[in-house]
């Protein structure tokens, strides 16, 4: 993400005009054998959007799609979408748990999970990471559960 003096944001894929980007599951570059090999991309993406939101921006030039104004409104819409999806995962876990990441995928996005499992698994794992960062969920050998 690059911002210039005119208030222009060159966002790459971080901020898109029509869709809510879904950060993928990513390995840490120097992951060791301690079991913590994964970068928590959705919490980092969420925090980054919150920082960008505070900038005085007049125009966004995304990696895909046409440039657009109302940058703060677009960021707000993406933050609301992320928070809404995270709430759906929390709600399902409050009804029944423990649930595996795949159980959550099938319960929340059955058709999409069958067509694009890599994308839906990454999406659900991101929302679980959001909940884990907030210390609302715990991963057990039997699956995810609310704390």
């Amino acid at each position: 993400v690059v911002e210039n003096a005119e208030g222009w944001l060159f966002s790459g894929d971080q901020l898109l005009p029509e869709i809510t980007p879904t950060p993928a599951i990513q390995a840490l570059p120097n992951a060791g054998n301690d079991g913590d090999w994964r970068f928590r991309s959705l919490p980092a993406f969420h925090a980054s959007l919150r920082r960008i939101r505070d900038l005085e921006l007049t125009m966004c030039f995304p990696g895909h799609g046409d440039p657009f104004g109302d940058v703060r409104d677009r960021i707000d819409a993406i933050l609301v979408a992320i928070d809404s999806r995270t709430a759906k995962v929390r709600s399902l876990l409050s009804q029944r748990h423990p649930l595996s990441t795949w159980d959550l995928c099938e319960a929340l996005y059955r058709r999409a999970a069958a067509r694009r499992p890599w994308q839906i698994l990454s999406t659900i794992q991101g929302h679980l990471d959001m909940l884990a960062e907030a210390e609302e969920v715990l991963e057990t050998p039997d699956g995810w559960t609310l704390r």
Side-chain angles (χ1 to χ4, degrees):
V1 175
V2 178
E3 175 206 12
N4 69 11
E6 290 82 21
W8 291 358
L9 175 70
F10 296 88
S11 68
D13 287 349
Q14 184 171 18
L15 191 57
L16 300 171
E18 301 294 326
I19 65 168
T20 300
T22 302
I25 293 174
Q26 301 173 43
L28 291 167
N30 298 317
N33 294 329
D34 63 358
D36 191 18
W37 62 271
R38 204 168 44 75
F39 174 67
R40 290 1 183 217
S41 56
L42 187 58
F45 176 68
H46 191 271
S48 179
L49 285 176
R50 293 184 66 74
R51 285 190 302 274
I52 292 169
R53 188 190 182 287
D54 293 337
L55 300 174
E56 296 297 325
L57 299 171
T58 59
M59 184 67 65
C60 180
F61 295 86
H64 303 277
D66 294 330
F68 59 93
D70 298 325
V71 180
R72 188 168 284 146
D73 290 343
R74 184 66 194 127
I75 291 171
D76 286 344
I78 292 171
L79 290 171
V80 165
I82 291 169
D83 292 344
S84 173
R85 292 174 185 164
T86 300
K88 286 181 182 179
V89 172
R90 182 189 309 107
S91 177
L92 186 56
L93 284 171
S94 73
Q95 296 167 30
R96 58 180 214 245
H97 56 90
L99 291 170
S100 71
T101 306
W102 184 250
D103 292 336
L104 288 159
C105 290
E106 286 191 315
L108 293 169
Y109 304 106
R110 181 174 299 280
R111 288 187 348 192
R115 290 190 309 251
R116 299 181 317 276
W118 63 92
Q119 183 182 31
I120 301 306
L121 277 165
S122 193
T123 297
I124 294 297
Q125 185 60 61
H127 295 291
L128 289 165
D129 290 343
M130 293 286 291
L131 293 167
E133 187 173 276
E135 298 183 353
E136 294 184 45
V137 298
L138 179 65
E139 186 174 19
T140 70
D142 296 324
W144 292 91
T145 186
L146 291 179
R147 287 184 178 256

